[in-house]
Amino acid sequence: MRKIIIIGECTLDLLFPGDRNTDTVQVTAKPGGRMLNAAALLGNCGYNVTYVSECASDPTGDMLLAFLQRNGVDTRSIDRYSDGITPLNLRFAPENELVCSRSYPKEKFDFVWPRIDADDIVVFGAFFSLNERVRTHIVELLNHAIERKAIIIYVPGLMPVPKSGITKMMPDILENLEMATIVLTRSSDLKTIFNETDSAKCYERHIRFYSDNYIHIDSEDSSVKLHHKDVVTSSSKPELNENLETTASGIAGAVAALVDKDIKLEDLPSLSGENMQYIVSRIADSAFTKSVSTAG
């Protein structure tokens, strides 16, 4: 079975209700992050998934590892550090205001490298791939994966940041694009990273130079689009949005499509119309929005 390696952050989301005028607040805790949840979705469906990450040797880290393991994900490539805490995201309704709590260790990121073979699929992206304290080691693993002829999927999704912040990150984002076989974005990424609103323009101006294969989850018109050279294939999904579940299921659907149709690295430069349609339909398919086992 082809292996799937997903590189991302281990975080716990703490969801606060909208009423702040109370002395008693009922908080909901859920595993956070698109990468972590995409790994769980794929593992839950029987795919061979390894998650590459780090978390503290604390109760939160234990919860997240248990969540991944219950959903069939190999966690041997998650580094457990002793100094610091597992990242927390505090989300406040109704505007979904976000406060991030991070306390990292002094020791370096030191994970066990997973085995990578030809046509395995490696997914990476978000802020975790830009974090200076882990980036060097992630890039080393990605270059190894490229040498091994794996398929590299880059998901650059970022939370909205000041323009000055994006400017500082752009050299690393461009380096990530250079390593990518496939790029996958959502509508907010176009605005935040590329200052675009149209996926076709974004593909021609920013993506195509690096990769012929560009998947866009478009919440503006509720569709999934696959740009491949001069061809665009799309599939609609009613009420598609950018919540965690939709984005995580989109990543999982893209990976599952490649595995199920046995699309290899050598097939990507000349994708057939049938395979393109299958990929976008699989991403848009609601089958991957089913719930996975929650942390406990």
Side-chain angles (χ1 to χ4, degrees):
M1 181 184 293
R2 288 166 69 179
K3 296 183 293 299
I4 300 161
I5 295 90
I6 300 183
I7 306 169
E9 196 174 32
C10 279
T11 63
L12 186 70
D13 280 2
L14 300 178
L15 311 177
F16 291 80
D19 184 8
R20 303 181 190 183
N21 296 315
T22 176
D23 295 330
T24 304
V25 177
Q26 186 166 356
V27 179
T28 303
K30 296 177 64 176
R34 288 157 290 165
M35 299 299 190
L36 185 143
N37 280 275
L41 283 165
L42 287 161
N44 184 267
C45 290
Y47 294 91
N48 184 0
V49 186
T50 296
Y51 198 61
V52 176
S53 187
E54 63 175 354
C55 64
S57 296
D58 60 11
T60 304
D62 293 342
M63 289 171 64
L64 293 174
L65 254 70
F67 164 72
L68 290 168
Q69 290 164 357
R70 279 199 302 276
N71 285 286
V73 177
D74 187 334
T75 60
R76 286 175 291 183
S77 292
I78 297 179
D79 182 29
R80 301 296 301 271
Y81 52 80
S82 56
D83 182 22
I85 64 170
T86 298
L88 301 172
N89 292 330
L90 285 66
R91 298 182 180 274
F92 296 88
E95 295 87 4
N96 195 31
E97 295 175 64
L98 178 65
V99 176
C100 299
S101 175
R102 303 289 188 269
S103 176
Y104 293 114
K106 294 179 180 178
E107 64 257 32
K108 69 177 184 178
F109 183 42
D110 186 20
F111 63 96
V112 176
W113 279 30
R115 179 180 175 85
I116 301 176
D117 294 302
D119 299 312
D120 286 345
I121 300 169
V122 179
V123 185
F124 79 110
F127 276 117
F128 194 67
S129 69
L130 306 173
N131 186 331
E132 291 183 3
R133 59 175 302 278
V134 301
R135 178 169 175 77
T136 299
H137 301 287
I138 291 175
V139 170
E140 288 174 353
L141 179 61
L142 290 169
N143 283 328
H144 170 69
I146 292 169
E147 291 174 0
R148 299 290 290 173
K149 301 188 183 305
I151 294 172
I152 314 294
I153 301 178
Y154 177 41
V155 185
L158 302 173
M159 295 295 290
V161 294
K163 184 65 177 176
S164 59
I166 287 294
T167 301
K168 292 177 182 178
M169 290 186 284
M170 278 310 296
D172 288 340
I173 291 173
L174 294 177
E175 185 179 19
N176 288 350
L177 288 170
E178 288 178 353
M179 293 185 284
T181 316
I182 300 170
V183 179
L184 190 156
T185 63
R186 51 191 183 162
S187 295
S188 62
D189 301 329
L190 269 61
K191 302 170 187 175
T192 300
I193 302 172
F194 303 108
N195 197 28
E196 301 282 0
T197 57
D198 180 78
S199 64
K201 291 180 180 178
C202 185
Y203 177 58
E204 291 297 332
R205 294 172 179 173
H206 307 283
I207 307 294
R208 189 169 179 173
F209 177 79
Y210 301 100
S211 174
D212 284 335
N213 304 292
Y214 170 45
I215 299 168
H216 180 60
I217 300 175
D218 194 334
S219 59
E220 301 296 330
D221 67 359
S222 300
S223 70
V224 177
K225 300 180 177 71
L226 171 55
H227 297 265
H228 176 73
K229 299 180 180 179
D230 296 322
V231 179
V232 182
T233 304
S234 66
S235 180
S236 297
K237 180 177 182 178
E239 299 180 1
L240 183 148
N241 55 44
E242 289 199 9
N243 63 24
L244 173 65
E245 290 78 12
T246 298
T247 312
S249 67
I251 297 169
V255 172
L258 296 174
V259 174
D260 292 352
K261 291 290 283 186
D262 198 26
I263 299 172
K264 297 182 169 62
L265 182 65
E266 64 182 9
D267 301 320
L268 289 173
S270 55
L271 275 174
S272 68
E274 177 186 352
N275 281 342
M276 290 176 65
Q277 188 61 56
Y278 183 83
I279 292 170
V280 295
S281 297
R282 189 61 181 272
I283 295 171
D285 194 331
S286 61
F288 271 90
T289 62
K290 70 177 185 178
S291 298
V292 295
S293 302
T294 56

Coordinates of all heavy atoms in Angstrom, one line a residue, residues 58-99:
D58 N 3.0 16.2 27.7 CA 2.1 16.7 28.6 C 0.7 16.1 28.3 O 0.6 15.4 27.4 CB 2.0 18.3 28.6 CG 1.6 18.8 27.2 OD1 1.2 18.0 26.4 OD2 1.7 20.0 27.0
P59 N -0.3 16.3 29.2 CA -1.6 15.6 29.0 C -2.2 16.0 27.6 O -2.9 15.2 27.0 CB -2.5 16.2 30.1 CG -1.5 16.4 31.2 CD -0.3 17.0 30.5
T60 N -2.0 17.3 27.2 CA -2.6 17.7 25.9 C -1.9 16.9 24.7 O -2.6 16.4 23.8 CB -2.4 19.2 25.6 OG1 -2.9 19.9 26.7 CG2 -3.0 19.6 24.3
G61 N -0.6 16.7 24.8 CA 0.1 15.9 23.8 C -0.4 14.5 23.8 O -0.6 13.8 22.8
D62 N -0.6 13.9 25.0 CA -1.1 12.6 25.2 C -2.5 12.4 24.5 O -2.7 11.4 23.8 CB -1.2 12.2 26.6 CG 0.1 12.1 27.3 OD1 1.1 12.0 26.7 OD2 0.1 12.1 28.6
M63 N -3.3 13.4 24.7 CA -4.7 13.4 24.1 C -4.6 13.4 22.5 O -5.3 12.6 21.9 CB -5.5 14.6 24.5 CG -5.9 14.6 26.0 SD -6.6 16.2 26.5 CE -8.1 16.2 25.4
L64 N -3.7 14.2 22.0 CA -3.6 14.3 20.5 C -3.0 13.0 19.9 O -3.4 12.5 18.9 CB -2.8 15.5 20.1 CG -3.4 16.8 20.5 CD1 -2.5 18.0 20.2 CD2 -4.8 17.0 19.7
L65 N -2.0 12.4 20.6 CA -1.5 11.2 20.1 C -2.5 10.1 20.2 O -2.6 9.3 19.2 CB -0.2 10.8 20.9 CG 1.1 11.0 20.1 CD1 1.4 12.5 20.0 CD2 2.3 10.3 20.8
A66 N -3.3 10.0 21.2 CA -4.3 9.0 21.4 C -5.4 9.2 20.3 O -5.9 8.2 19.7 CB -5.0 9.1 22.8
F67 N -5.7 10.4 20.0 CA -6.7 10.8 18.9 C -6.2 10.2 17.6 O -6.9 9.5 16.8 CB -6.9 12.3 18.8 CG -7.5 12.8 17.5 CD1 -8.9 12.5 17.3 CD2 -6.8 13.5 16.6 CE1 -9.4 13.0 16.1 CE2 -7.4 13.9 15.4 CZ -8.7 13.7 15.2
L68 N -4.9 10.5 17.2 CA -4.4 10.0 16.0 C -4.3 8.5 15.9 O -4.7 7.8 14.9 CB -3.0 10.6 15.7 CG -2.9 12.1 15.4 CD1 -1.5 12.6 15.5 CD2 -3.5 12.4 14.0
Q69 N -3.9 7.9 17.0 CA -3.7 6.4 17.1 C -5.1 5.7 17.0 O -5.2 4.7 16.3 CB -3.0 6.0 18.4 CG -1.5 6.4 18.4 CD -0.9 6.4 19.7 OE1 -1.5 6.1 20.7 NE2 0.4 6.7 19.8
R70 N -6.1 6.3 17.6 CA -7.4 5.7 17.5 C -7.9 5.7 16.1 O -8.8 4.9 15.7 CB -8.4 6.5 18.4 CG -8.4 6.1 19.9 CD -9.7 6.5 20.6 NE -9.9 7.9 20.5 CZ -9.3 8.8 21.3 NH1 -8.5 8.5 22.2 NH2 -9.6 10.1 21.2
N71 N -7.5 6.7 15.3 CA -7.9 6.7 13.9 C -6.9 6.1 12.9 O -6.9 6.4 11.7 CB -8.1 8.2 13.5 CG -9.4 8.7 14.1 OD1 -10.5 8.4 13.7 ND2 -9.3 9.5 15.2
G72 N -6.0 5.3 13.5 CA -5.1 4.4 12.6 C -3.9 5.1 12.1 O -3.4 4.7 11.1
V73 N -3.5 6.2 12.7 CA -2.3 7.0 12.2 C -1.1 6.6 12.9 O -1.1 6.5 14.2 CB -2.6 8.5 12.3 CG1 -1.3 9.3 11.9 CG2 -3.8 8.9 11.6
D74 N 0.0 6.4 12.2 CA 1.3 6.0 12.8 C 1.9 7.3 13.4 O 2.1 8.3 12.7 CB 2.2 5.5 11.7 CG 3.5 4.9 12.2 OD1 4.0 5.4 13.3 OD2 4.2 4.1 11.5
T75 N 2.2 7.3 14.7 CA 2.7 8.5 15.4 C 4.1 8.4 15.8 O 4.6 9.2 16.6 CB 1.8 8.7 16.6 OG1 1.9 7.6 17.5 CG2 0.4 9.0 16.3
R76 N 4.9 7.4 15.2 CA 6.3 7.3 15.6 C 7.2 8.4 15.2 O 8.3 8.6 15.7 CB 6.8 5.9 15.0 CG 6.3 4.7 15.8 CD 6.7 3.4 15.1 NE 6.1 3.2 13.8 CZ 6.3 2.2 13.0 NH1 7.1 1.2 13.4 NH2 5.6 2.0 11.9
S77 N 6.7 9.2 14.2 CA 7.5 10.4 13.8 C 7.1 11.7 14.4 O 7.3 12.8 13.9 CB 7.4 10.5 12.2 OG 8.0 9.4 11.6
I78 N 6.4 11.6 15.6 CA 6.0 12.8 16.3 C 7.0 12.9 17.5 O 7.2 12.0 18.3 CB 4.6 12.7 16.9 CG1 3.6 12.7 15.8 CG2 4.3 13.9 17.8 CD1 2.1 12.6 16.2
D79 N 7.8 14.0 17.5 CA 8.8 14.3 18.5 C 8.1 14.8 19.8 O 7.3 15.7 19.8 CB 9.8 15.3 18.0 CG 10.9 15.6 19.0 OD1 11.2 14.7 19.8 OD2 11.4 16.8 19.0
R80 N 8.4 14.1 20.9 CA 7.8 14.6 22.2 C 8.9 15.3 23.0 O 9.9 14.8 23.3 CB 7.4 13.3 23.0 CG 6.3 12.4 22.4 CD 5.0 13.1 22.1 NE 4.4 13.6 23.3 CZ 3.5 12.9 24.1 NH1 3.3 11.7 23.8 NH2 2.9 13.5 25.2
Y81 N 8.7 16.6 23.2 CA 9.6 17.4 23.9 C 9.2 17.6 25.4 O 8.0 17.5 25.7 CB 9.9 18.7 23.2 CG 8.7 19.6 22.9 CD1 8.0 20.3 23.9 CD2 8.2 19.6 21.6 CE1 6.9 21.1 23.6 CE2 7.0 20.4 21.3 CZ 6.4 21.1 22.3 OH 5.3 21.9 22.0
S82 N 10.2 17.8 26.2 CA 9.9 17.8 27.7 C 9.8 19.2 28.2 O 9.2 19.4 29.3 CB 11.0 17.0 28.4 OG 12.3 17.6 28.1
D83 N 10.3 20.2 27.5 CA 10.3 21.6 28.0 C 9.4 22.4 27.1 O 9.6 22.5 25.9 CB 11.7 22.2 27.9 CG 11.8 23.6 28.4 OD1 10.9 24.0 29.2 OD2 12.7 24.3 28.1
G84 N 8.3 22.9 27.7 CA 7.3 23.6 26.9 C 6.0 23.0 27.0 O 5.8 22.0 27.7
I85 N 5.0 23.5 26.2 CA 3.6 22.9 26.2 C 3.2 22.6 24.8 O 3.7 23.2 23.9 CB 2.6 23.9 26.9 CG1 2.5 25.2 26.1 CG2 3.0 24.1 28.4 CD1 1.3 26.0 26.6
T86 N 2.3 21.7 24.7 CA 1.7 21.4 23.4 C 0.8 22.7 22.9 O 0.1 23.2 23.8 CB 0.7 20.2 23.5 OG1 1.5 19.1 23.8 CG2 0.1 19.9 22.1
P87 N 1.0 23.1 21.7 CA 0.3 24.3 21.2 C -1.2 24.3 21.4 O -1.9 23.2 21.2 CB 0.6 24.4 19.8 CG 1.9 23.7 19.6 CD 1.9 22.6 20.6
L88 N -1.8 25.4 21.9 CA -3.2 25.6 22.1 C -3.7 26.7 21.2 O -3.1 27.8 21.1 CB -3.5 25.9 23.5 CG -3.1 24.9 24.6 CD1 -3.3 25.4 26.0 CD2 -3.8 23.6 24.4
N89 N -4.9 26.5 20.6 CA -5.6 27.6 19.9 C -6.9 27.9 20.6 O -7.7 27.1 20.8 CB -5.9 27.2 18.4 CG -4.7 27.0 17.6 OD1 -3.7 27.7 17.8 ND2 -4.8 26.1 16.6
L90 N -7.0 29.1 21.1 CA -8.2 29.6 21.8 C -9.1 30.3 20.8 O -8.7 31.3 20.2 CB -7.9 30.5 23.0 CG -7.3 29.8 24.2 CD1 -5.9 29.2 24.0 CD2 -7.2 30.8 25.4
R91 N -10.3 29.8 20.5 CA -11.2 30.3 19.5 C -12.4 30.9 20.2 O -13.1 30.1 20.9 CB -11.5 29.3 18.4 CG -10.3 28.8 17.6 CD -10.7 27.8 16.6 NE -9.6 27.3 15.8 CZ -9.1 28.0 14.8 NH1 -9.6 29.1 14.4 NH2 -8.0 27.5 14.1
F92 N -12.8 32.1 19.9 CA -13.9 32.8 20.6 C -15.0 33.1 19.7 O -14.8 33.8 18.7 CB -13.4 34.1 21.3 CG -12.4 33.9 22.4 CD1 -11.0 33.8 22.1 CD2 -12.8 33.7 23.7 CE1 -10.1 33.6 23.1 CE2 -11.8 33.5 24.7 CZ -10.5 33.4 24.4
A93 N -16.2 32.5 19.9 CA -17.4 32.8 19.1 C -17.8 34.2 19.5 O -17.5 34.8 20.6 CB -18.4 31.8 19.4
P94 N -18.7 34.9 18.6 CA -19.1 34.4 17.3 C -18.2 34.7 16.1 O -18.4 34.2 15.0 CB -20.5 35.0 17.2 CG -20.3 36.4 17.8 CD -19.4 36.1 19.0
E95 N -17.2 35.6 16.3 CA -16.4 36.0 15.2 C -15.2 35.1 15.0 O -14.4 35.3 14.1 CB -15.8 37.4 15.5 CG -16.9 38.5 15.5 CD -17.4 38.7 16.9 OE1 -17.0 38.0 17.8 OE2 -18.4 39.5 17.1
N96 N -15.1 34.0 15.8 CA -14.0 33.0 15.7 C -12.7 33.8 15.9 O -11.7 33.5 15.1 CB -14.1 32.3 14.3 CG -13.1 31.1 14.4 OD1 -13.0 30.4 15.4 ND2 -12.6 30.7 13.2
E97 N -12.6 34.7 16.8 CA -11.4 35.3 17.1 C -10.4 34.3 17.6 O -10.8 33.4 18.4 CB -11.6 36.4 18.2 CG -12.4 37.6 17.8 CD -12.7 38.5 18.9 OE1 -11.7 39.1 19.4 OE2 -13.8 38.7 19.3
L98 N -9.1 34.4 17.2 CA -8.1 33.4 17.5 C -7.0 33.9 18.4 O -6.4 35.0 18.1 CB -7.6 32.8 16.2 CG -6.5 31.8 16.4 CD1 -7.0 30.5 17.0 CD2 -5.9 31.4 15.0
V99 N -6.7 33.2 19.5 CA -5.6 33.5 20.3 C -4.7 32.2 20.4 O -5.2 31.2 20.8 CB -6.0 33.9 21.7 CG1 -4.7 34.1 22.6 CG2 -6.8 35.2 21.7

